[in-house]
């Protein structure tokens, strides 16, 4: 009897030990899958003293903004940054050519990014049987008035895309869709030194390749953005970001080094997104 009891106790101890080991292994695997989010916790929801607009109010603001043709009315609907009102009016006038007629709107509600409170509306268009969607991201000004961020709306790059891709230029600031990739070649041949990303834009047909050097603030920032998107339920593998890219001697024409992560979306705040990781 004593021998049997001892054997049962021994099996019980072994069973508990195995269970704890399995639990520990699962936790380690989960942390590895989440990546830097396990090291840098998810950001908390932005707290604002301004209430978000209702679906009706957000859609009404966007619809009215698209009809603006008077430069004096532009600041009533758009957060301009360094863009002048005449440029905004010209862009709005040309939207029918670039995006086709508007076919509908989709309200995205609140989307916190870069420590800012942001609400989104998708403007659905169609040009030549191809969908051409454009994103209106609204943020409150210091008085609580919600305005469309023009640079995000126009997907502004500096210089324009023709300039960014011109071999005479060293690079620039771009608003792009970012996804992980595995193309390692030329000066970016070693995946032990670089992480590769696919950079695409509705405004340029060619897909670019961006590279972050391992163990750099920009790599931590990009990983955080992708992880945040996945944890929030976006499993597309593609995320909006505002990046600074530069040419590297010896690289292929569509290869660039990523030197800054300015924003985890297309709306830039006063503090670059990668600043806390420097």
């Amino acid at each position: 009897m004593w021998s049997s009891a001892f054997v049962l106790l021994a099996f019980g101890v072994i069973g508990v030990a195995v269970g704890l080991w399995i639990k520990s292994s699962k936790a380690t695997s989960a942390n590895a899958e989440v990546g830097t989010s396990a090291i840098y916790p998810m950001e908390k929801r932005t707290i604002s003293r301004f209430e978000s607009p209702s679906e009706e109010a957000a859609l009404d603001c966007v619809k009215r903004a698209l009809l603006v043709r008077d430069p004096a009315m532009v600041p009533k609907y758009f957060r301009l940054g360094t863009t002048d009102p005449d440029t905004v009016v010209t862009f709005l006038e040309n939207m029918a050519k670039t995006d086709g007629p508007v076919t509908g709107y989709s309200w995205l509600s609140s989307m916190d990014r870069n420590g800012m409170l942001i609400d989104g509306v998708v403007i659905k268009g169609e040009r030549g049987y191809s969908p051409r969607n454009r994103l209106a991201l609204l943020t409150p000004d210091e008085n609580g008035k919600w305005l469309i961020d023009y640079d995000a709306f126009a997907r502004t790059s500096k210089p324009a895309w023709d300039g960014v891709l011109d071999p005479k230029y060293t690079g620039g600031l771009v608003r792009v869709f970012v996804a992980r990739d595995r193309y390692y070649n030329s000066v970016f041949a070693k995946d032990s030194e670089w992480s590769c990303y696919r950079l695409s834009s509705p405004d340029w047909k060619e897909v670019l390749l961006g590279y972050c050097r391992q163990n750099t603030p920009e790599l931590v920032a990009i990983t955080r953005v992708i992880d945040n998107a996945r944890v929030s339920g976006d499993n597309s593998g593609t995320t909006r970001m505002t990046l600074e890219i530069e040419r590297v001697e010896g690289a292929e024409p569509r290869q660039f080094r990523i030197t800054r992560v300015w924003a985890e979306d297309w709306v830039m705040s006063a503090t670059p997104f990668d600043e806390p990781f420097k």
Side-chain angles (χ1 to χ4, degrees), residues 139-150:
T139 61
D141 65 9
E142 62 276 6
N143 298 317
K145 180 176 176 57
W146 289 79
L147 302 171
I148 300 169
D149 186 280
Y150 174 74

Side-chain angles (χ1 to χ4, degrees), residues 34-276:
V34 172
T36 54
S37 290
I39 304 173
Y40 303 99
M42 296 288 294
E43 296 179 56
K44 295 181 180 179
R45 178 170 174 77
T46 305
I47 299 175
S48 174
R49 65 183 187 276
F50 303 124
E51 183 179 355
S52 292
S54 64
E55 177 179 0
E56 181 181 2
L59 294 177
D60 182 67
C61 173
V62 171
K63 291 176 182 178
R64 289 177 181 271
L66 296 183
L67 298 175
V68 171
R69 297 295 182 267
D70 180 0
M73 294 295 293
V74 169
K76 183 177 179 180
Y77 297 99
F78 290 92
R79 174 190 180 197
L80 293 176
T82 58
T83 306
D84 63 89
D86 289 321
T87 299
V88 177
V89 170
T90 301
F91 184 86
L92 294 173
E93 290 174 339
N94 292 332
M95 271 188 62
K97 298 178 182 179
T98 58
D99 297 353
V102 175
T103 60
Y105 301 85
S106 180
W107 181 55
L108 301 179
S109 188
S110 298
M111 306 181 299
D112 295 344
R113 298 290 188 274
N114 305 305
M116 303 172 68
L117 194 65
I118 302 173
D119 274 42
V121 173
V122 175
I123 304 164
K124 300 178 181 180
E126 186 175 294
R127 189 182 69 179
Y129 302 103
S130 297
R132 295 282 295 182
N133 295 341
R134 187 168 294 277
L135 186 60
L137 297 175
L138 296 88
T139 61
D141 65 9
E142 62 276 6
N143 298 317
K145 180 176 176 57
W146 289 79
L147 302 171
I148 300 169
D149 186 280
Y150 174 74
D151 285 328
F153 178 74
R155 299 188 290 260
T156 302
S157 65
K158 296 181 180 179
W161 274 104
D162 288 340
V164 172
L165 299 173
D166 191 322
K168 295 183 295 184
Y169 287 83
T170 58
L173 182 146
V174 293
R175 287 175 167 82
V176 288
F177 292 99
V178 181
R180 289 190 172 99
D181 208 301
R182 293 196 57 80
Y183 182 81
Y184 295 96
N185 204 353
S186 67
V187 294
F188 302 109
K190 296 182 179 180
D191 60 0
S192 59
E193 296 182 7
W194 302 95
S195 286
C196 177
Y197 297 92
R198 184 170 65 254
L199 313 180
S200 59
S201 169
D203 303 315
W204 194 258
K205 60 182 180 180
E206 188 175 12
V207 174
L208 305 184
L209 294 162
Y211 297 83
C212 282
R213 189 177 289 279
Q214 300 291 348
N215 303 315
T216 57
E218 51 269 22
L219 178 58
V220 175
I222 284 184
T223 306
R224 167 75 82 85
V225 176
I226 293 175
D227 288 348
N228 283 353
R230 185 171 64 246
V231 172
S232 66
D234 181 0
N235 296 314
S236 66
T238 302
T239 311
R240 294 186 302 272
M241 298 187 209
T242 304
L243 306 175
E244 184 178 288
I245 60 176
E246 69 174 16
R247 290 191 178 277
V248 176
E249 185 176 355
E252 296 179 1
R254 66 192 188 109
Q255 289 180 314
F256 293 81
R257 179 176 178 178
I258 299 170
T259 56
R260 292 300 304 263
V261 181
W262 285 100
E264 63 173 325
D265 206 305
W266 292 342
V267 178
M268 293 174 58
S269 68
T271 303
F273 185 77
D274 61 11
E275 190 68 31

